Amino acid sequence: MSYVDEVIASVIEKNPAEPEFIQAVKEVLETIRPVVDANEEKYRKLAILERLTNPDRQIKFRVSWVDDAGQVQVNTGYRVQFNNAIGPYKGGLRFHPSVHMGIIKFLGFEQIFKNSLTTLPIGGAKGGSDFDPKGKSDREVMAFCQSFMNELYKYVGADIDVPAGDIGVGGREVGYLFGHFKRLTNSYEGWITGKGLSYGGSLVRTQATGYGLLYLTEELLKYNGIELAGKTCLVSGSGNVATYAMEKATQLGAKVLTCSDSNGWVYDPDGIDVEAIKEIKEVNRARLTEYKKYRPNSEYHEGRGVWGVKADIALPCATQNDIQLEDAKALVANGILAVCEGANMPTTLEATEYLMANGIIVAPSKAANAGGVATSALEMSQNSERLSWSAEEVDAKLQGIMKNITKAIVEASDKYGMHGNYVAGANIAGFEKVVDAMLAQGVV
Ligand code: NDP
Ligand code: 2IT
């Protein structure tokens, strides 16, 4: 059995309750096969793949808090510090009822390679809780965040581990987490990113994941002789990533036809009104059913359905495994040109294979959504030098990083004879830097 197959088998055997983690490991290890095969004896002896697929540390803790009715609620908190070969652990916190250890491990594993692709010095981690901020009062969210922080603060720090937002964790949650860390440690360090501008945040961080996705999409399409301007796009989600992906797509001359939330989806033939989405989601914390009030010509549908609409480019920006095989078939039948992933692992392995077999450009999440964490790293730099950069400066750096990532994934896929396979290109380019650092640092 090859070394790659042995490690995949062992990950499956040891993590039976973690299908998303197994999926992420399979995708990475299957595609870095040429690099591993070329170094099989050395990597096996040094147990490189076992070390890469076993987190440095998994932290799981109880979070007790009191709701507005005086009832004590109990949630579970997680932080998985996966790999710090190239820099302090870095990665978001997700608050969503679906969170369990396997979700946090898949996200932390992906983050290792994504962070490596940014070329910035950040290792891979992820955390979160099964707490659902939806429908909670600000006081309840604060009570939860403070209790969560009472445990997490022991394990994080500006040079140790720097969390940020993800699903269910935005500016409000980051503010409460930051405030409580400050109180617990009597320090004002940049231990979390996505902070507000009045207390150490970076301009453009809010927009960075969505904007970065479109910078990479435009660049990758160019490599393929296709222009983004004038194209139609399907977006799923209507949160942070989706909103700023829609904003930048529109600014770059594309038309966004759809977006969604966990209840339903909107089709707007005139192009989604991003300001309306911001008001519905960011200000009112309401549902997409409200959108029709802003745009009477639009349609609202309950359930799933975004991927059945005819368009040129699909931008999944909601959650994992959002595009399944049946969706991929519908996209191909409707003549989709590219699927560029804003969410983490939004396409199942079977759907990705089907898309690529049909010549569709697939920009994998660890490359396509790396603009968020890259800008987080820029926030860390600004915090370290006690300065803040202008929006133009941060945006120019973000554009440069996304162009470099595009070049890196194109070149890596070509170098190993897999022209156009950007999934392999991203995994190989991300892996090469991490493995180089691991080899240099000995058995740790
Ligand atoms: P938000 O919480 O801001 O938005 C999430 C959006 O996805 C909401 O519209 C939500 O709908 C929808 N959604 C979430 N879970 C589900 C589900 N199970 N089924 C259907 N819809 C769902 O999160 P973000 O925009 O920050 O994150 C979106 C994706 O992007 C995630 O995969 C995240 O890991 C990834 N990402 C985020 C980055 C960031 O900087 N924030 C950086 C890189 C990647 P509803 O409101 O109804 O729940
Ligand atoms: O998935 C991700 O890259 C994020 N949620 C952002 C992480 C970060 O540290 O900014």
Side-chain angles (χ1 to χ4, degrees):
M1 210 192 242
S2 78
Y3 181 37
V4 163
D5 289 326
E6 257 173 44
V7 175
I8 292 178
S10 140
V11 167
I12 293 172
E13 193 194 326
K14 288 185 179 157
N15 304 277
E18 299 177 351
E20 295 87 0
F21 176 56
I22 291 171
Q23 181 183 341
V25 168
K26 268 191 187 164
E27 188 220 90
V28 171
L29 296 200
E30 291 286 3
T31 53
I32 60 172
R33 215 180 261 280
V35 188
V36 177
D37 287 353
N39 297 278
E40 172 135 358
E41 208 179 318
K42 179 173 161 189
Y43 287 2
R44 191 198 294 267
K45 186 151 195 203
L46 291 170
I48 287 294
L49 297 184
E50 288 86 341
R51 284 153 65 193
L52 203 55
T53 52
N54 279 288
D56 290 354
R57 201 166 292 105
Q58 295 179 207
I59 301 150
K60 183 176 176 189
F61 48 96
R62 190 188 70 247
V63 187
S64 314
W65 57 281
V66 183
D67 71 15
D68 286 348
Q71 173 68 47
V72 174
Q73 299 285 348
V74 177
N75 289 99
T76 306
Y78 303 88
R79 186 73 181 164
V80 173
Q81 298 176 332
F82 226 114
N83 182 298
N84 67 353
I86 64 174
Y89 303 108
K90 180 87 195 86
L93 297 172
R94 175 176 292 191
F95 292 170
H96 192 273
S98 63
V99 164
H100 65 93
M101 189 56 95
I103 296 274
I104 300 300
K105 275 173 70 181
F106 115 66
L107 290 162
F109 183 70
E110 289 285 291
Q111 203 81 41
I112 305 170
F113 308 97
K114 181 195 307 195
N115 292 3
S116 167
L117 283 171
T118 66
T119 71
L120 301 168
I122 39 179
K126 200 82 187 190
S129 174
D130 57 358
F131 172 73
D132 187 359
K134 230 178 273 162
K136 304 287 189 301
S137 69
D138 286 353
R139 195 212 60 82
E140 288 177 321
V141 171
M142 182 172 73
F144 172 81
C145 287
Q146 293 184 341
S147 182
F148 183 82
M149 211 56 236
N150 281 337
E151 191 61 29
L152 186 71
Y153 88 97
K154 299 170 191 167
Y155 309 102
V156 296
D159 291 315
I160 302 168
D161 181 358
V162 184
D166 193 82
I167 290 177
V169 178
R172 174 181 61 174
E173 290 75 17
V174 168
Y176 293 147
L177 293 164
F178 181 79
H180 201 57
F181 179 88
K182 187 168 62 93
R183 185 159 191 216
L184 287 168
T185 60
N186 195 28
S187 76
Y188 205 102
E189 52 173 290
W191 73 272
I192 189 167
T193 58
K195 297 185 289 293
L197 297 178
S198 57
Y199 61 95
S202 173
L203 285 160
V204 191
R205 175 61 188 90
T206 304
Q207 297 84 354
T209 311
Y211 280 18
L213 170 65
L214 268 296
Y215 294 147
L216 180 133
T217 298
E218 189 179 41
E219 187 72 7
L220 194 59
L221 289 176
K222 258 190 224 159
Y223 273 93
N224 287 275
I226 302 169
E227 225 194 303
L228 174 64
K231 296 292 184 292
T232 49
C233 301
L234 304 175
V235 167
S236 68
S238 51
N240 173 268
V241 179
T243 300
Y244 295 96
M246 293 194 277
E247 184 166 277
K248 186 52 76 179
T250 309
Q251 286 171 7
L252 294 175
K255 190 204 258 189
V256 179
L257 298 177
T258 66
C259 65
S260 64
D261 61 21
S262 52
N263 296 110
W265 58 285
V266 159
Y267 171 72
D268 189 338
D270 303 322
I272 297 283
D273 177 349
V274 181
E275 292 311 310
I277 296 293
K278 284 186 195 170
E279 195 171 302
I280 296 167
K281 290 290 172 181
E282 293 179 358
V283 182
N284 301 333
R285 296 187 188 275
R287 311 305 299 161
L288 280 179
T289 39
E290 302 288 301
Y291 186 78
K292 215 171 164 49
K293 289 186 194 155
Y294 296 80
R295 303 280 277 226
N297 268 346
S298 67
E299 296 168 17
Y300 175 79
H301 301 272
E302 286 288 328
R304 300 174 78 244
V306 163
W307 311 125
V309 175
K310 184 172 171 54
D312 302 312
I313 295 159
L315 301 168
C317 296
T319 191
Q320 62 276 356
N321 293 332
D322 182 8
I323 300 184
Q324 302 179 1
L325 185 58
E326 289 310 307
D327 304 312
K329 287 183 179 169
L331 290 169
V332 170
N334 277 331
I336 203 85
L337 298 173
V339 175
C340 303
E341 301 180 337
N344 283 308
M345 204 171 76
T347 315
T348 63
L349 289 174
E350 301 72 36
T352 306
E353 268 167 30
Y354 184 84
L355 291 167
M356 294 203 320
N358 282 278
I360 312 304
I361 298 165
V362 176
S365 52
K366 58 174 76 65
N369 72 27
V373 74
T375 308
S376 278
L378 301 179
E379 181 173 329
M380 290 164 70
S381 301
Q382 293 169 76
N383 293 162
S384 296
E385 61 176 24
R386 303 278 193 263
L387 291 172
S388 38
W389 307 337
S390 68
E392 292 70 28
E393 205 173 342
V394 179
D395 192 47
K397 284 190 164 60
L398 172 61
Q399 290 191 42
I401 290 166
M402 298 317 292
K403 280 194 177 161
N404 285 339
I405 294 176
T406 316
K407 187 164 178 279
I409 67 174
V410 168
E411 287 180 358
S413 61
D414 286 345
K415 182 174 157 193
Y416 288 93
M418 294 186 276
H419 180 75
N421 184 345
Y422 307 119
V423 175
N427 289 333
I428 290 170
F431 173 75
E432 282 186 331
K433 181 177 173 188
V434 175
V435 86
D436 184 66
M438 285 173 72
L439 290 172
Q441 292 171 24
V443 180
V444 289

